[in-house]
């Protein structure tokens, strides 16, 4: 069952180049109709998170993926019908949510288009087509959203740029160069607006790029600060990068990409961000704990100073990035309700942490939500795992481990519903992999070349038990810290983010049957389902226009979801796994009948 992604990566790169050439020959923004009476986005509106809007990728600064709208309920959700559909006209993995500001919807797409539409009718106002370089080549041709601030829309480019667009017309007003795509530092993340700054970090953990987060002044696109996730000499944490082994200067190219948007505590004025995997993947080539790889960190939004951290596993060797920031939730701990952080991590463990106004992060508890054969235990006080050495990848050896490098969950968002007190997790159980670690002495790090310490052509992905399924939706009671219910999707992975609402519903797509489903948030009963044109691997959202609640999701299969599905379908002997999933981007909007 050996497969390689290298050919697909090259195909993706060629496709990006094709579209970029087209963009260079025309105006970047095509305006059908200028947006009248645009409502500027302010700090107060972002903090308030009015449920009529969906201003942030995850709905609110706490990262809940929750809508307080309750017009669509468990009683009437079966009546949901398509209100309108709009084809993006693009292939590739569509991973961005529909973001809505006062009746105007913004969607970013593969190839870095941004569409502005009437959220009620689907009428296109304008389309921005980013001028990526003609020779651009990246590993993941996708975009995960935009930032809305003032009367501007901020969109990151695969070419490592941050672009400020006029919200009414899509005209580019200014641009910042954040990353250098030629060394592997391209951007797929949604930028994050915080108090007049736009925060975003590049990818690059497989290319020997030293990860960082950068803040840009929203008014002039000038840099406010940049903070590296791997500390340099003299900085706290640098001592965790021991100058030993084959790469004594490993900190210079140690990975730790910050490639997903973070969360924010506006009262304490602290930001929380996730840090990705180490580079190369093999920890024995960079001895030490390797802060802040595979960690959640807290930061000062004014200066970018790192204030606290929780490293989920030291000396990461599995590509188990901690890229998703933990949700900000008050939790019960030692008999008291305290400010907390909750996060299902790619390593297959669900963590409860505490936080304070100074930005300190402390471990409370961790529990596995999928099978993990690399961890033997977690320290009760610190959460630091002990390892089963048989399942720790090392140089020169072929090692198998579970969950696979894509983890118990990947980038799709989990959701929290304050009405049920439950956390909802898109899970992939039963997937393992093996690969052989190599010391790559023929390639320079940060040269734009694959530099993960393994050959993708040798990667083997398989089911631990071929008779069982993979994709799940798990509901956990945040305070009892126990599973409330689980829905199993069978022979498919679950690459769908989750939306939960005050109507008592959980929405989830991301499976290879292309269906968007509505579940009873308390029981897990499937109440409604609808087949989309393609699998939706973007977050569902909800908003309101003229007193009517809408549910929106962007369909469009591609990137890792498509590749893992094809590998597992090819190996499946039961005939139950669907390998042929249609592609093509479309924005779907649903509502109850009038």
């Amino acid at each position: 069952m050996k497969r390689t992604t290298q050919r697909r990566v090259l195909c993706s790169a060629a496709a990006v180049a094709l579209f970029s050439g087209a963009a260079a020959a025309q105006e970047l923004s095509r305006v059908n109709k200028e947006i009248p009476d645009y409502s500027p986005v302010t700090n107060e509106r972002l903090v308030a998170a009015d449920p009529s809007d969906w201003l942030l990728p995850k709905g609110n600064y706490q990262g809940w993926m929750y809508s307080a709208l309750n017009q669509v309920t468990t009683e009437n959700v079966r009546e949901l019908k398509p209100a309108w559909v709009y084809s993006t006209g693009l292939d590739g993995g569509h991973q961005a949510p529909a973001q809505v500001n006062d009746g105007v919807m913004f969607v970013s797409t593969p190839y870095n288009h941004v569409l502005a539409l009437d959220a009620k009718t689907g009428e296109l106002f304008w389309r921005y087509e980013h001028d990526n370089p003609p020779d651009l080549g990246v590993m993941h041709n996708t975009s995960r959203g935009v930032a809305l601030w003032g009367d501007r829309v901020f969109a990151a480019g695969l070419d490592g740029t941050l672009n400020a667009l006029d919200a009414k017309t899509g005209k580019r007003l200014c641009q910042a160069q954040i990353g250098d795509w030629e060394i592997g530092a391209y951007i797929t993340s949604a930028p994050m607006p915080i108090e007049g700054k736009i925060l975003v970090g590049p990818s690059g953990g497989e290319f020997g790029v030293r990860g960082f987060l950068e803040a840009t002044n929203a008014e002039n696109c000038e840099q406010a600060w940049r903070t590296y996730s791997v500390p340099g000499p003299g900085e706290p944490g640098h001592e965790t990068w021991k100058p030993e082994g084959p790469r004594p200067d490993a900190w210079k190219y140690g990975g730790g990409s910050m490639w997903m948007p973070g969360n924010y505590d506006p009262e304490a004025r602290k930001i929380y961000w996730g840090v990705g995997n180490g580079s190369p993947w093999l920890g024995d080539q960079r001895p030490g704990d390797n802060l802040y790889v595979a960690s959640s960190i807290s930061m000062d939004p004014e200066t970018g100073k790192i204030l606290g951290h929780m490293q989920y596993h030291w000396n990461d060797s599995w590509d188990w990035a901690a890229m998703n920031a933990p949700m900000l939730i008050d939790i019960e701990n030692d008999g008291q309700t305290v400010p907390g952080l909750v996060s299902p991590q790619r390593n297959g463990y669900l963590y409860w942490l505490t936080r304070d106004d100074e930005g300190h992060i402390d471990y409370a508890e961790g529990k596995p939500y999928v099978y993990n054969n690399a961890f033997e235990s977690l320290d009760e006080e610190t959460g630091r795992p002990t390892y089963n050495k048989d399942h720790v990848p090392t140089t020169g050896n072929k090692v198998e481990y579970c969950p696979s490098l894509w983890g118990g969950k990947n980038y799709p968002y989990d959701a929290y519903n304050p009405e049920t007190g439950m956390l909802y997790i898109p899970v992939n159980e039963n997937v393992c992999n093996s690969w052989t670690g190599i010391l790559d002495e023929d390639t320079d790090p940060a040269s734009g070349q694959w530099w993960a310490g393994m050959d993708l052509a040798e990667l083997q992905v398989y089911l631990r038990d071929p008779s069982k399924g993979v994709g799940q939706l798990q509901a956990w009671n945040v305070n009892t810290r126990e599973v409330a219910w689980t829905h199993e999707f069978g022979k498919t992975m679950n690459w769908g983010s989750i939306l939960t609402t005050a109507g008592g519903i959980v929405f989830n797509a991301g499976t290879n049957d292309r269906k968007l489903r509505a579940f009873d948030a308390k029981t897990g009963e499937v109440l409604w389902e609808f087949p989309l044109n393609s699998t939706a691997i973007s977050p569902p959202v909800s908003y309101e226009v003229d007193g009517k609640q809408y549910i929106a999701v962007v369909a469009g299969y591609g990137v890792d979801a498509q590749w893992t599905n094809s590998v597992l379908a090819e190996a499946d002997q039961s005939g139950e796994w669907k390998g042929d999933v249609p592609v093509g981007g479309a924005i779907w909007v649903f509502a109850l009948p009038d």
Side-chain angles (χ1 to χ4, degrees):
M1 190 176 18
K2 297 179 180 178
R3 304 284 293 189
T4 175
T5 60
Q6 289 175 323
R7 182 171 56 187
R8 292 175 184 274
V9 170
L10 292 173
C11 289
S12 175
V16 173
L18 176 64
F19 274 74
S20 299
Q26 59 190 7
E27 294 295 328
L28 299 182
S29 177
R30 288 174 282 161
V31 182
N32 283 356
K33 178 184 177 182
E34 185 170 319
I35 297 173
D37 303 323
Y38 185 76
S39 300
V41 175
T42 63
N43 185 61
E44 290 74 19
R45 290 185 63 203
L46 289 170
V47 172
D50 187 314
S52 297
D53 301 315
W54 194 273
L55 299 176
L56 294 161
K58 290 171 270 188
N60 64 11
Y61 269 138
Q62 291 75 24
W64 287 3
M65 287 296 297
Y66 170 74
S67 171
L69 297 177
N70 58 8
Q71 193 176 96
V72 180
T73 69
T74 55
E75 300 298 321
N76 61 25
V77 67
R78 292 179 176 85
E79 300 174 31
L80 274 183
K81 304 291 183 186
W84 57 266
V85 184
Y86 191 93
S87 171
T88 67
L90 299 164
D91 61 9
H94 288 60
Q95 297 183 348
Q99 294 174 241
V100 179
N101 176 24
D102 195 16
V104 179
M105 176 184 290
F106 299 96
V107 176
S108 61
T109 73
Y111 309 99
N112 292 146
H113 291 208
V114 180
L115 284 66
L117 307 103
D118 186 314
K120 182 177 181 179
T121 65
E123 178 187 7
L124 181 71
F125 288 123
W126 52 257
R127 176 189 291 256
Y128 168 81
E129 185 174 351
H130 185 60
D131 51 343
N132 281 311
D135 56 344
L136 176 72
V138 297
M139 189 171 182
H140 295 96
N141 173 22
T142 192
S143 171
R144 300 188 171 97
V146 297
L148 305 178
W149 178 263
D151 55 4
R152 297 183 175 191
V153 178
F154 291 84
L158 293 168
D159 59 354
T161 59
L162 177 66
N163 304 276
L165 313 179
D166 184 321
K168 291 184 178 180
T169 65
K171 179 182 179 182
R172 188 162 69 200
L173 302 174
C174 62
Q175 183 184 68
Q177 187 71 46
I178 306 295
D180 180 355
W181 70 267
E182 292 189 284
I183 70 168
Y186 63 103
I187 303 180
T188 61
S189 176
M192 187 79 168
I194 296 178
E195 299 186 9
K197 299 183 183 68
I198 310 299
L199 280 58
V200 72
S203 300
E206 281 65 54
F207 300 93
V209 173
R210 183 186 177 200
F212 64 86
L213 183 67
E214 183 155 322
T216 299
N217 187 310
E219 293 301 316
N220 54 25
C221 292
E222 293 182 358
Q223 184 189 86
W225 51 258
R226 171 183 288 192
T227 296
Y228 285 95
S229 62
V230 175
E235 295 179 314
H238 183 69
E239 71 283 358
T240 67
W241 294 79
K242 297 181 179 179
E244 303 170 358
R247 306 187 190 283
D249 57 351
W251 67 272
K252 294 181 179 177
Y253 34 80
S257 301
M258 302 172 76
W259 55 274
M260 290 293 289
N263 296 324
Y264 179 51
D265 181 343
E267 292 185 7
R269 301 192 69 243
K270 301 294 181 295
I271 57 178
Y272 293 85
W273 225 272
V275 182
N277 55 279
S279 181
W281 289 352
L282 297 148
D284 63 359
Q285 294 182 24
R286 39 180 172 75
D289 280 6
N290 300 159
L291 290 176
Y292 294 96
V293 163
S295 302
S296 293
I297 59 176
S298 63
M299 307 173 73
D300 183 331
E302 285 296 323
T303 65
K305 181 181 179 181
I306 296 174
L307 304 171
H309 75 278
M310 169 66 198
Q311 187 176 48
Y312 299 102
H313 50 273
W314 47 278
N315 191 238
D316 172 52
S317 299
W318 301 270
D319 188 28
W320 288 337
M323 65 283 175
N324 284 109
M327 279 195 275
L328 280 61
I329 302 173
D330 287 345
I331 62 173
E332 292 182 8
N333 195 53
D334 294 333
Q336 294 183 319
T337 300
V338 299
L341 301 168
V342 180
S343 181
Q345 280 293 312
R346 192 157 153 175
N347 65 23
Y349 276 68
L350 172 58
Y351 292 86
W352 288 261
L353 313 172
T354 62
R355 72 182 202 277
D356 65 20
D357 288 349
E358 304 304 316
H360 300 137
I361 302 174
D362 289 307
Y363 172 78
E365 189 173 6
K367 288 186 172 183
Y369 65 91
V370 298
Y371 175 72
N372 175 317
N373 63 5
F375 290 7
E376 291 187 334
S377 63
L378 300 186
D379 183 272
E380 291 185 359
E381 296 296 322
T382 66
R384 181 182 176 89
T386 56
Y387 296 152
N388 181 334
K389 294 182 179 178
D390 291 341
H391 301 293
V392 180
T394 51
T395 304
N397 298 305
K398 184 174 184 177
V399 173
E400 68 87 16
Y401 61 88
C402 314
S404 74
L405 64 90
W406 288 275
K409 70 175 288 294
N410 205 271
Y411 71 85
Y413 300 136
D414 38 305
Y416 171 67
N417 190 323
E419 304 292 330
T420 64
M422 292 184 193
L423 178 77
Y424 304 95
I425 311 172
V427 169
N428 289 308
E429 172 65 292
N430 196 32
V431 184
C432 306
N433 64 205
S434 65
W435 45 271
T436 301
I438 59 175
L439 179 63
D440 187 350
E441 297 181 291
D442 298 327
T443 305
D444 292 329
S447 64
Q449 304 298 309
W450 178 258
W451 200 75
M454 57 85 73
D455 185 348
L456 278 174
E458 300 299 321
L459 173 64
Q460 293 180 299
V461 185
Y462 54 89
L463 299 188
R464 180 172 174 239
D465 182 345
S467 69
K468 295 184 177 179
V470 172
Q472 297 180 357
L473 171 57
Q474 292 184 7
W476 286 69
N477 185 303
V478 168
N479 284 326
T480 65
R481 303 179 183 177
E482 299 293 338
V483 177
W485 54 262
T486 298
H487 179 88
E488 297 188 0
F489 294 100
K491 295 295 183 70
T492 174
M493 294 186 77
N494 182 1
W495 283 91
S497 293
I498 295 171
L499 167 71
T500 184
T501 72
I505 300 173
V506 172
F507 291 94
N508 185 210
T511 51
N512 61 11
D513 60 6
R514 300 181 285 116
K515 291 182 179 179
L516 172 65
R517 292 181 173 85
F519 299 84
D520 185 310
K522 292 181 179 177
T523 67
E525 178 187 358
V526 178
L527 302 174
W528 171 86
E529 59 185 27
F530 186 92
L532 306 169
N533 66 301
S534 179
T535 294
I537 54 176
S538 71
V541 307
S542 187
Y543 60 92
E544 185 179 80
V545 180
D546 294 337
K548 192 178 189 66
Q549 182 181 0
Y550 295 88
I551 307 295
V553 68
V554 182
Y557 212 35
V559 284
D560 288 42
Q562 186 180 33
W563 185 82
T564 52
N565 186 66
S566 67
V567 169
L568 295 172
E570 185 174 300
D572 180 61
Q573 301 296 315
S574 68
E576 300 172 10
W577 200 295
K578 294 181 173 65
D580 187 5
V581 179
V583 298
I587 306 164
W588 289 83
V589 176
F590 298 88
L592 297 173
D594 292 330

